[in-house]
Amino acid sequence: MKKILILNGPNLNLLGVREKSIYGDQSFENYFQNLKSKYDVLELHYFQSNSEGAIIDKLHEIGFSFDGIILNAGAYTHTSVAIADAIAAINTPVVEVHISNVHQREEFRHHSYLSKNCKGIIVGFGLDGYRLALESFLSN
Ligand code: DQA
């Protein structure tokens, strides 16, 4: 069974509460349970942290044994050379996901330090972006 980790960064623990007009009204825990039951052919794991170091530690921990990582690094996407380096350092392919269409938003959200080191990017499909990323690991 393929092992996939969904890794969410800062403020994504507040999905369903935070800026609902942008990020929707569903909590990630709720969404993740549905995803798990729908994709029981995969071994799905979930980790969220608001801290850059914890995200890097998790990438190092599973990045040589898992089959895929779906990463929404939140605002660290636009600032973190350290997370970009961690993605480059590991073997497991990473798909970058953003719930909102970052290109329709402020200029500072248009640039990602991470994309260059990722297998692909899914942007602007709401929470469904995580499912689309999962599909990409199923078919590869
Ligand atoms: C986000 C977009 C980022 O710009 C923002 O800082 C987030 C969420 C998204 O999923 O749309 O926290 O990554």
Side-chain angles (χ1 to χ4, degrees), residues 10 12 18 23 72 74-75 77-78 97-100 102 105 109:
L12 293 165
R18 162 195 197 204
Y23 300 113
N72 184 348
T77 305
H78 320 298
V97 167
H98 298 286
I99 297 164
S100 63
V102 283
R105 301 180 64 193
R109 296 186 203 275

Side-chain angles (χ1 to χ4, degrees), residues 18-126:
R18 162 195 197 204
E19 299 179 279
K20 290 184 187 177
S21 61
I22 301 174
Y23 300 113
D25 54 14
Q26 201 177 0
S27 74
F28 197 82
E29 284 69 18
N30 184 266
Y31 174 77
F32 183 67
Q33 285 318 318
N34 291 338
L35 209 59
K36 259 183 111 163
S37 48
K38 200 164 166 184
Y39 287 89
D40 54 3
V41 294
L42 294 171
E43 189 181 315
L44 265 188
H45 296 253
Y46 171 55
F47 180 76
Q48 189 276 332
S49 177
N50 294 320
S51 119
E52 191 174 14
I55 293 167
I56 293 166
D57 287 343
K58 186 51 95 176
L59 289 168
H60 293 176
E61 180 192 324
I62 59 108
F64 297 90
S65 55
F66 274 46
D67 300 289
I69 298 169
I70 298 168
L71 173 64
N72 184 348
Y76 287 139
T77 305
H78 320 298
T79 63
S80 181
V81 175
I83 294 177
D85 283 353
I87 296 168
I90 61 177
N91 295 336
T92 302
V94 176
V95 172
E96 178 180 346
V97 167
H98 298 286
I99 297 164
S100 63
N101 182 348
V102 283
H103 299 288
Q104 286 175 348
R105 301 180 64 193
E106 301 95 323
E107 191 84 31
F108 66 85
R109 296 186 203 275
H110 298 184
H111 178 256
S112 164
Y113 280 99
L114 316 184
S115 301
K116 180 180 169 295
N117 298 337
C118 289
K119 185 181 176 196
I121 309 151
I122 297 172
V123 165
F125 289 97

